[in-house]
Amino acid sequence: MRLMREIRCFPENRGRASATGNTWSGMPARPTADRFWCLRAVVEGPVDEKTGYLCDIRELDALLREVVMPILDEHELRGPGGALRRALASARLDAPEGAPLRSLEWAVSPYLRFSIHQEQPDMVRVTQSFEFAAAHRLALNDLSDEENRQLFGKCSNPHGHGHNYILEVSVNVSSGDSSPTTLPLAELNRVVQKHVIEPLDHRNLNSECAEFAHMNPTVENIARVIWQRLEHQVPFGALASVKVWETPKTWAEYTDSR
């Protein structure tokens, strides 16, 4: 069994952390606090037959606030990779008994997060979010309009329909002290803008995107096409995954494992 716990915090509020609880807002130390973080820990272990707990989540709150957050705050300027590696090593020693730590995730904004896993402590996954709007129609060329309607429902409206897509691009980088401080996030933004956002944003995918001339533009295929557009354009790190949210209820993810 695995269990995830998240805290929401302002690093400036560290000295008062025990008094803030774990509310949705994280309780700012002052009205104009500069930074807001979400920290997530995943632990693994057997469930206690009596309590039904894997562990007491208050212990995970304390681990994140008292062990992880100070390390990240201290080493942030040296690089999120090195900071996360140190935090993982320290937090493993203080993890609840019977619930070893599997991973840490550090969201520094709604659009950028870093994660590290026990299986690969020398690697950090960097995930950046993007947005684009596009129209499409789900239909197969060898079917009639009525047959397409029966298969795809309203998504086969002959005039198409649109979505505001959220794209999450993840790359793996070294967790050494110089990374991912030296990770050119600006370059990642440039590559995604050039090869994905500009060609797809405010377009009709069926008629304006060559890959979908003979391919149904489902969210699954959109994720695969974006991977193919990016996989040879990210020289500074191995592309780890492409996740496309079509709606808040539906996403498709494409990874190197296919």
Side-chain angles (χ1 to χ4, degrees):
M1 180 73 71
R2 291 192 174 186
L3 176 70
M4 186 280 289
R5 179 64 170 173
E6 172 184 295
I7 67 166
R8 308 170 186 107
C9 55
F10 284 81
E12 290 82 356
N13 199 27
R14 189 173 67 206
R16 298 170 49 209
S18 62
T20 66
N22 194 20
T23 65
W24 180 254
S25 67
M27 293 295 291
R30 58 183 187 272
T32 57
D34 297 320
R35 299 175 296 171
F36 178 70
W37 293 350
C38 285
L39 303 178
R40 303 181 182 101
V42 174
V43 295
E44 183 177 46
V47 174
D48 184 275
E49 293 298 329
K50 182 178 180 180
T51 65
Y53 278 176
L54 192 160
C55 70
D56 190 328
I57 58 173
R58 291 173 294 186
E59 294 182 69
L60 296 180
D61 284 357
L63 181 73
L64 288 168
R65 291 188 182 279
E66 297 171 14
V67 177
V68 174
M69 186 163 64
I71 293 173
L72 298 183
D73 197 21
E74 178 182 357
H75 296 285
E76 179 184 21
L77 294 180
R78 301 184 193 177
L84 269 175
R85 179 166 47 83
R86 290 180 177 87
L88 180 68
S90 295
R92 284 179 54 202
L93 301 177
D94 292 300
E97 185 176 356
L101 186 66
R102 305 308 306 170
S103 65
L104 292 173
E105 184 175 88
W106 179 16
V108 298
S109 83
Y111 314 103
L112 178 63
R113 63 184 187 270
F114 307 93
S115 61
I116 190 167
H117 299 262
Q118 176 56 33
E119 293 83 356
Q120 290 184 299
D122 59 334
M123 299 296 294
V124 166
R125 178 165 292 190
V126 183
T127 301
Q128 182 85 4
S129 295
F130 305 86
E131 300 175 4
F132 66 96
H136 69 164
R137 181 197 180 204
L138 301 188
L140 299 179
N141 293 333
D142 58 348
L143 297 182
S144 68
D145 284 348
E146 178 58 25
E147 288 172 323
N148 276 310
R149 188 188 67 79
Q150 291 294 328
L151 182 57
F152 298 111
K154 64 182 180 181
C155 292
S156 195
N157 177 356
H159 299 288
H161 64 282
H163 295 282
N164 292 319
Y165 293 96
I166 302 297
L167 167 64
E168 295 181 359
V169 178
S170 297
V171 295
N172 288 325
V173 299
S174 168
S175 64
D177 282 342
S178 62
S179 295
T181 298
T182 57
L183 174 71
L185 287 172
E187 176 65 6
L188 176 60
N189 276 277
R190 186 195 68 78
V191 166
V192 174
Q193 183 72 26
K194 177 179 178 180
H195 294 278
V196 179
I197 305 303
E198 290 180 4
L200 302 187
D201 188 36
H202 284 71
R203 306 283 180 156
N204 184 308
L205 300 181
N206 301 72
S207 60
E208 297 183 84
C209 182
E211 290 96 332
F212 296 119
H214 303 287
M215 182 194 302
N216 215 15
T218 62
V219 67
E220 295 92 335
N221 281 335
I222 293 170
R224 180 169 58 174
V225 164
I226 291 175
W227 173 281
Q228 293 167 346
R229 284 173 171 260
L230 293 178
E231 64 178 331
H232 300 301
Q233 303 296 331
V234 190
F236 49 82
L239 188 62
S241 72
V242 166
K243 179 182 288 186
V244 179
W245 292 81
E246 186 171 74
T247 73
K249 297 186 291 185
T250 305
W251 58 254
E253 183 176 32
Y254 195 82
T255 70
D256 197 30
S257 63
R258 306 302 195 271

